[in-house]
Amino acid sequence: EPLVEKLRASDSNASLPPVLSVNRRHVLIHIMREKTVFLAVVSQEDPPLAVFELLDRVYQVLVRYLGEVSEDSLRTNFSTVYLLLDEMIDSGLPFTTEMNSLESIIAPPSAIGKVVQVVSGTSTQVLSDVPANPNEGGGAFGAISSALGSVTHTQMGGASAEVWWRKANVNYASNEVYVDIVESIDCICNGQGNVISGGISGDVQLNTKLSGLPEVLLTLRNPGVLQNASFHPCVRLHRFQRDKALAFVPPDGDFTLASYWIPDTTLNLPFHFSVSVNYHAEHGKISISAAPKLAVTMQNKQMLIDKFVVNVRLPSSIASASLACQGGGSIRFDKDSKVIVWNVGKLSTQESKAEGTLIYATDPKDGTPKIPSEEKSTAQLAFVIKGWAISGVRLDSCDVTSVNYTPYKASRYTTTAGKIEYRIA
């Protein structure tokens, strides 16, 4: 609300364009990534999901260019960020958001730094790359090209009008294709541990390092998982609708080929989990237990539930807790956030347990304990399972054609916890 008032107050400035009129209402749409808020000010009727998608794409592009998105990285690479935003958004509308197209137009920060050093003459290493005869190296442009380490001329934009998402003149000494299928579980469980709402969100991610203009064909053993999916522009949709196969000319480097959602309230989570909190007259009791399901682990021998963490949010009237855990790991109580953090680590075949005593805060007037009555507790889970996809999706084949080489191909599966919440009765 204060930010909205500031925006309305700024409309009185006569130097601002007419679109920021004092009579026009503004809507603020934001996302948070890595403790950084990406904010969009919307002044007309627009689909909110399209704005969310654009903000998330801006974040992904910045991660690709900067490595991490933080206040320091944004300040250090301000020029790069400004150029990216100027290219991605034109007159308030999405313009160029494809990574390969952006990389062919805007160089990474390290390359821009070298260009600045060449122009300003502050780098002796770069100056040593400049040929003695300007005609031989193309003058200043040759010096900049040499500083950037480019050995061939790269066409601006895509390889062609039909394949605008792929760089031109891509060449690798070692050609490789890596396919990652990453699935995330989002669900809410009631006090008895039953899933009352939820589903699986998944991404088919590729990292392609292929020379020339290859044709790639991916086939899944169970393509039905892509029933509710969004695809990268490179996917030939008519081929998928006809053969249920993913045919495409891939972008260069990392990209998400498809994102899908599987609504399912009958999820079979690969572990047993229970938590109980009881409040007595003098103190409270908490008990937590977790163990992998033998039926799932026997079917998937390579599956390992790792980085298993439980966060139990308690009422604000809990002052402290005395906790202990069995089966490895560590447990602690955060007094500021009123959260018990149980870090199990690897969930072994035996059951892991944690229990403790909860101490109530007291009323400063009469010293009576503040026993929670109405406020309920919740537990959030986090984990990573490598080598296993909960939906059962499997990659059947990956064929690369239209090239005269045989690339190295590999695939892997990962299941992570999205937002898993247990409501404690």
Side-chain angles (χ1 to χ4, degrees):
E1 190 68 25
L3 185 54
V4 174
E5 295 300 329
K6 289 182 180 179
L7 287 172
R8 291 175 177 171
S10 66
D11 291 342
S12 60
N13 191 340
S15 63
L16 293 178
V19 69
L20 294 177
S21 62
V22 70
N23 296 323
R24 187 181 293 274
R25 297 182 60 185
H26 298 85
V27 177
L28 306 180
I29 300 178
H30 76 278
I31 62 173
M32 177 171 284
R33 300 288 187 274
E34 297 183 19
K35 299 182 180 180
T36 302
V37 177
F38 293 79
L39 174 68
V41 182
V42 181
S43 58
Q44 61 185 13
E45 189 69 25
D46 283 307
L49 291 180
V51 181
F52 285 130
E53 178 67 22
L54 177 60
L55 293 175
D56 186 67
R57 184 62 61 88
V58 170
Y59 165 72
Q60 295 175 11
V61 169
L62 292 179
V63 169
R64 180 77 168 265
Y65 269 78
L66 309 182
E68 64 174 356
V69 180
S70 62
E71 182 178 355
D72 292 337
S73 64
L74 293 176
R75 288 181 183 272
T76 304
N77 304 286
F78 173 80
S79 299
T80 304
V81 175
Y82 179 85
L83 292 173
L84 288 171
L85 294 178
D86 184 62
E87 193 64 37
M88 295 182 68
I89 304 173
D90 187 10
S91 300
L93 298 174
F95 187 62
T96 303
T97 60
E98 175 57 38
M99 187 65 65
N100 275 227
S101 299
L102 289 171
E103 288 181 339
S104 65
I105 300 171
I106 303 172
S110 58
I112 288 182
K114 290 184 178 181
V115 172
V116 173
Q117 290 174 348
V118 169
V119 175
S120 61
T122 57
S123 173
T124 56
Q125 180 179 359
V126 172
L127 290 176
S128 65
D129 295 331
V130 181
N133 185 358
N135 295 326
E136 295 179 0
F141 181 77
I144 293 176
S145 300
S146 177
L148 297 179
S150 59
V151 294
T152 58
H153 296 287
T154 302
Q155 177 184 336
M156 297 296 286
S160 66
E162 293 77 16
V163 193
W164 49 266
W165 53 82
R166 182 174 176 82
K167 297 177 184 178
N169 304 326
V170 179
N171 189 23
Y172 287 99
S174 177
N175 296 278
E176 302 167 334
V177 179
Y178 298 95
V179 182
D180 280 314
I181 297 180
V182 181
E183 294 187 339
S184 178
I185 306 172
D186 297 280
C187 64
I188 297 177
C189 301
N190 58 16
Q192 289 71 39
N194 300 320
V195 178
I196 57 178
S197 68
I200 304 168
S201 60
D203 290 326
V204 181
Q205 302 173 356
L206 271 77
N207 184 2
T208 60
K209 299 178 181 179
L210 301 173
S211 305
L213 202 63
E215 295 275 351
V216 181
L217 180 65
L218 285 183
T219 56
L220 300 178
R221 194 167 301 175
N222 45 352
V225 298
L226 300 180
Q227 183 176 359
N228 299 318
S230 61
F231 299 100
H232 190 277
C234 69
V235 176
R236 296 187 176 92
L237 295 180
H238 67 280
R239 178 73 182 273
F240 177 76
Q241 294 171 356
R242 186 188 67 189
D243 303 330
K244 300 302 178 183
L246 299 173
F248 55 94
V249 176
D252 183 51
D254 295 308
F255 69 100
T256 300
L257 182 67
S259 299
Y260 55 91
W261 166 254
I262 307 174
D264 189 1
T265 56
T266 61
L267 286 173
N268 183 20
L269 297 178
F271 52 81
H272 297 283
F273 178 79
S274 64
V275 55
S276 63
V277 179
N278 299 308
Y279 301 111
H280 304 289
E282 297 180 354
H283 56 264
K285 285 286 187 180
I286 183 170
S287 177
I288 317 171
S289 64
K293 291 183 178 179
L294 294 179
V296 178
T297 55
M298 290 296 292
Q299 295 175 3
N300 305 272
K301 296 181 180 179
Q302 296 180 350
M303 189 191 73
L304 175 65
I305 304 176
D306 196 7
K307 300 179 181 179
F308 195 88
V309 179
V310 180
N311 290 341
V312 181
R313 187 173 298 278
L314 298 175
S316 57
S317 57
I318 303 298
S320 61
S322 176
L323 306 167
C325 59
Q326 302 175 2
S330 61
I331 190 169
R332 63 182 178 85
F333 174 70
D334 191 325
K335 294 182 179 180
D336 297 330
S337 60
K338 307 299 182 183
V339 173
I340 292 177
V341 181
W342 182 28
N343 191 342
V344 182
K346 294 181 181 179
L347 201 59
S348 59
T349 54
Q350 63 180 2
E351 185 180 30
S352 299
K353 294 183 179 180
E355 57 184 13
T357 302
L358 307 178
I359 309 301
Y360 306 135
T362 57
D363 193 324
K365 295 182 179 179
D366 51 14
T368 57
K370 296 181 179 180
I371 304 175
S373 56
E374 299 294 333
E375 191 174 354
K376 298 295 183 180
S377 301
T378 59
Q380 290 80 33
L381 305 185
F383 56 84
V384 175
I385 306 175
K386 295 183 179 180
W388 180 69
I390 187 172
S391 67
V393 62
R394 302 294 297 181
L395 182 64
D396 202 9
S397 64
C398 176
D399 300 320
V400 180
T401 58
S402 300
V403 291
N404 56 0
Y405 55 81
T406 302
Y408 173 79
K409 296 175 287 187
S411 64
R412 59 185 179 183
Y413 306 87
T414 305
T415 299
T416 64
K419 295 182 179 179
I420 301 181
E421 180 175 285
Y422 278 74
R423 296 174 178 174
I424 303 175

